[in-house]
Amino acid sequence: MSGRQVEQSTGSEDTAPTLIDCDIHQKWKDPKEVIAYLPDQYKDRGVQSPSILYDNVAEFSRRDAIPDDGSPAGSSIEKMKEHHFEEFGVDYAVLTGNSYLNLTALPNRDYAAELAVANNKWVIDNWLSEGGPFVGSLLAAPQKPERMAEMIRELGDHARVVQVVMPMASQHPYGHEYYWPMYEAAEEMGLPIAMHPYTEGHGVTRPPTGAGHPNTYFEWHTLLGTYAMGQLVSLVAEGVLAKFPDLNFVVIEGGLSWVPHFLWRMDKDWKALRAQVPYLQKPPSEYVRDQVRFTTQPIEEPDNPEHLLQILEMMHAEETVMFASDYPHWDTDSPVYALPPMSDEMEQAVMAGNAQELYGLPNNPTTLPTN
């Protein structure tokens, strides 16, 4: 679309980042790397998580992202740097995990929670210690909120931990007070909570769509945004955003063209039904605009780029949208071609400014401690 010019990062303390990629998937080469961090009682069990129910004939990851030694795409720091960061001038890469998001759908909540903790310690020791562009997310298994709150307080003060990530799918809608201990901990530590799809219909979660279990990966992937809508309206209507005014949420990989419609609909219903949500002191769209951010991939691509620009303007993208590539997955969005032409102010905010503000990142990533 736009064919924008991407410049290599200067790494200067005086120069603001120009590209922050908010959805990068790292992966271990061998589960043994994470098993080493599990409590002894679970070491023999290893890493078990529900497998995805829907096959993608094109495979999940790009074949050109596979390292020369044949290890999984996303498992080599050097390959990732050479293949993606250096090519596009990525200043910061926000690590969000991989298919092991599914461990958060396990019915055994104690095991799921310890797997999440083990994964997070592995990420800190093996990726965030690398420094450079890497900042990361603490994976949370929401079926064990008290243990996850403890983990957030234990690991959340690492300088390169910038958010908590939960599966988009869950046993209960995320507004439920069952989950609030995690929100209290995240707000206390100044960490946004991101929601990422993959677990829909797996393990203890609900069906992938409101219509039930679809037949194909095509259907599941097309409807990713609908699950995000369900979680977001729950967070608003149950009063989470009002109860935790300093807590931010990030909707990853749900698309964004639905956002204006969703906000208009909530505001309209709030006018007539506000007696049911007396803790909302302003229109729902204002809570979302203040406390929720949306990442771009998989970006909608209308034939006329002007139509996408209109959607971005309607959802105040200069405040609410952050760029994400989803590298190294099959539908990676290029920072050069994914977005339509837009004003310089909106482009700077979407490509880097909004993420820098949300995550509190310094201009120069090399100034961030690695321990």
Side-chain angles (χ1 to χ4, degrees):
M1 284 186 177
S2 69
R4 77 183 67 252
Q5 184 70 36
V6 175
E7 298 179 353
Q8 193 70 35
S9 169
T10 62
S12 166
E13 294 184 10
D14 300 324
T15 305
T18 57
L19 181 57
I20 297 177
D21 193 334
C22 295
D23 190 20
I24 293 286
H25 295 288
Q26 85 284 4
K27 194 178 180 74
W28 55 64
K29 290 184 179 180
D30 189 311
K32 292 179 181 177
E33 297 173 34
V34 171
I35 293 172
Y37 290 90
L38 278 172
D40 289 343
Q41 69 188 93
Y42 295 122
K43 278 190 165 67
D44 289 342
R45 188 169 179 173
V47 176
Q48 298 176 357
S49 63
S51 298
I52 189 167
L53 301 173
Y54 301 98
D55 291 330
N56 179 347
V57 294
E59 301 179 4
F60 255 119
S61 296
R62 294 167 49 171
R63 294 181 180 178
D64 62 347
I66 296 174
D68 294 339
D69 64 1
S71 54
S75 65
S76 166
I77 289 174
E78 292 308 315
K79 177 69 177 183
M80 194 176 283
K81 285 182 175 178
E82 175 189 352
H83 192 216
H84 188 66
F85 301 161
E86 293 175 5
E87 179 176 357
F88 295 112
V90 176
D91 294 288
Y92 281 101
V94 183
L95 301 174
T96 53
N98 207 284
S99 55
Y100 40 85
L101 277 164
N102 267 11
L103 63 87
T104 59
L106 285 166
N108 187 321
R109 56 185 179 274
D110 298 303
Y111 172 60
E114 296 312 317
L115 267 177
V117 173
N119 167 77
N120 296 332
K121 292 181 177 177
W122 170 80
V123 170
I124 289 172
D125 287 349
N126 293 273
W127 286 84
L128 303 189
S129 63
E130 175 71 13
F134 294 113
V135 291
S137 313
L138 295 178
L139 177 62
Q143 61 270 54
K144 192 74 172 178
E146 295 286 355
R147 176 69 178 107
M148 294 298 94
E150 180 181 286
M151 179 270 295
I152 290 168
R153 292 187 173 98
E154 178 188 356
L155 303 178
D157 63 351
H158 189 287
R160 287 180 178 265
V161 168
V162 298
Q163 69 182 359
V164 177
V165 63
M166 304 195 303
M168 193 77 82
S170 56
Q171 288 176 284
H172 313 291
Y174 277 144
H176 197 295
E177 60 186 3
Y178 173 78
Y179 300 111
W180 288 17
M182 291 189 301
Y183 304 155
E184 292 171 359
E187 185 181 53
E188 178 184 318
M189 300 302 294
L191 297 174
I193 291 182
M195 299 182 290
H196 192 294
Y198 194 75
T199 55
E200 297 75 25
H202 305 159
V204 297
T205 68
R206 307 293 182 183
T209 79
H213 288 273
N215 194 42
T216 62
Y217 179 93
F218 163 76
E219 295 165 85
W220 170 76
H221 195 266
T222 299
L223 294 171
L224 290 179
T226 60
Y227 227 105
M229 294 169 72
Q231 297 289 18
L232 196 49
V233 73
S234 176
L235 290 169
V236 173
E238 295 265 18
V240 171
L241 299 186
K243 172 76 175 180
F244 303 97
D246 296 323
L247 179 61
N248 295 292
F249 285 83
V250 181
V251 178
I252 299 177
E253 216 169 311
L256 46 70
S257 64
W258 51 270
V259 175
H261 148 76
F262 172 80
L263 298 181
W264 296 334
R265 187 84 183 181
M266 274 203 300
D267 281 357
K268 179 180 179 181
D269 284 344
W270 175 74
K271 292 176 182 175
L273 303 171
R274 67 175 70 184
Q276 295 185 352
V277 287
Y279 29 80
L280 298 185
Q281 299 298 310
K282 56 186 178 182
S285 64
E286 293 188 22
Y287 286 100
V288 173
R289 184 173 174 179
D290 289 343
Q291 293 174 251
V292 181
R293 300 293 175 261
F294 302 87
T295 62
T296 55
Q297 193 280 339
I299 194 74
E300 288 80 1
E301 298 179 272
D303 291 337
N304 184 348
E306 180 66 23
H307 294 165
L308 178 55
L309 178 61
Q310 291 170 358
I311 289 172
L312 292 171
E313 291 173 343
M314 285 186 276
M315 63 184 294
H316 305 283
E318 69 281 4
E319 300 174 22
T320 62
V321 175
M322 307 189 298
F323 175 79
S325 71
D326 195 32
Y327 181 87
H329 287 173
W330 66 280
D331 52 349
T332 302
D333 274 347
S334 164
V336 178
Y337 297 108
L339 297 172
M342 57 184 79
S343 69
D344 290 345
E345 179 184 6
M346 181 182 290
E347 180 174 321
Q348 191 280 330
V350 170
M351 302 306 286
N354 289 337
Q356 184 180 19
E357 180 182 9
L358 178 69
Y359 298 128
L361 300 173
N363 285 344
N364 186 348
T366 64
T367 63
L368 265 181
T370 57
N371 54 34

